[in-house]
Amino acid sequence: MHPQVNPPSLAEQAYLFVRDRLVMLDIPPGSPINEEELGTALGMGRTPIREALKRLESERLVVAYPRRGTFATDVNISDLAHISEVRRTLEPMATAAAAARATDADRATLTELRAQLDADVAGGDNAELLRTDLALHRAIYRCVHNPFLEDTLIRYDNLATRIWCVFVPRLSGMAGHVHEHVPLLTAIIEGDGEKAAALTHAHVTGFEAAIRALI
């Protein structure tokens, strides 16, 4: 028997909904967060919305000001070096761990994602490619089987993706950046941690270089 998985709480549902809208800049940086509108859209009261916003504030995606309200945080290019430093340190270690720890089910999931990637890269615009990139990273992080590390990786990848979104209208080669996941997925599927770590370091470094080239 499979263990019973409890459905996400209302606060968790609100968090996931608002988080991804903030990450993809569907809620623009600096814009106010309207709790009533979110509650209406999600069909829930303000309490779970407020719980979600507190969590998002701890992740630097929103900021609350007394007597003014809650706003989407700005995207500051000055944060790029700090975010990249964390990712260069943690992500190679994480993908090496994923190569060692991934279950048969994990490897099957990554194999399916790898097969889908060519079609996604060939047919998607930059915004869709960013969503593909985000989904791939999160799938890889789950294979680490360390919830604390997974949460940290997602948090910094979210912040990095917001920077991508700001610059995406001026970016070329986005498809190539996303397609770099093919050999990385292969290394994890095959259990080659050393190769996975090296490819990840190059991927994160390439992201930072591509953004800096546009500054």
Side-chain angles (χ1 to χ4, degrees):
M1 293 180 62
H2 295 288
Q4 183 175 358
V5 177
N6 294 324
S9 67
L10 291 179
E12 179 73 8
Q13 292 175 46
Y15 163 78
L16 294 172
F17 176 79
V18 180
R19 180 195 68 182
D20 286 350
R21 293 191 68 203
L22 289 162
V23 169
M24 295 302 299
L25 307 191
D26 296 326
I27 300 175
S31 64
I33 306 296
N34 189 308
E35 294 179 10
E36 186 174 349
E37 286 182 3
L38 287 174
T40 300
L42 291 167
M44 60 182 68
R46 287 194 175 186
T47 297
I49 300 293
R50 287 175 178 168
E51 289 178 18
L53 292 177
K54 286 180 182 178
R55 185 172 168 187
L56 291 164
E57 186 173 18
S58 73
E59 296 179 6
R60 300 178 183 267
L61 292 173
V62 302
V63 58
Y65 298 105
R67 297 180 295 279
R68 286 183 55 200
T70 302
F71 297 80
T73 53
D74 290 327
V75 177
N76 295 313
I77 194 60
S78 59
D79 293 335
L80 177 62
H82 300 305
I83 293 169
S84 295
E85 182 178 24
V86 174
R87 295 183 70 214
R88 279 196 307 272
T89 302
L90 293 182
E91 296 224 9
M93 175 185 70
T95 52
R101 299 174 187 171
T103 64
D104 289 343
D106 291 333
R107 295 181 203 279
T109 297
L110 296 185
T111 301
E112 290 178 10
L113 287 171
R114 184 180 60 183
Q116 294 169 6
L117 191 53
D118 282 330
D120 290 345
V121 167
D125 59 16
N126 277 356
E128 191 58 38
L129 287 169
L130 274 171
R131 288 185 172 88
T132 298
D133 186 79
L134 203 61
L136 287 168
H137 284 201
R138 291 174 182 175
I140 291 169
Y141 301 155
R142 282 193 292 274
C143 296
V144 179
H145 294 285
N146 179 333
F148 300 99
L149 181 55
E150 181 181 354
D151 286 349
T152 302
L153 293 165
I154 290 173
R155 171 175 174 170
Y156 285 95
D157 189 50
N158 287 341
L159 296 173
T161 300
R162 295 185 88 219
I163 295 175
W164 263 128
C165 288
V166 168
F167 286 91
V168 76
R170 297 163 52 193
L171 279 170
S172 60
M174 185 66 195
H177 178 83
V178 176
H179 203 263
E180 288 176 5
H181 290 90
V182 170
L184 173 57
L185 289 169
T186 299
I188 295 171
I189 291 164
E190 294 179 352
D192 190 339
E194 185 175 348
K195 185 174 182 180
L199 289 168
T200 302
H201 188 276
H203 184 73
V204 174
T205 302
F207 160 75
E208 183 177 10
I211 297 297
R212 291 199 179 281
L214 299 173
I215 299 175

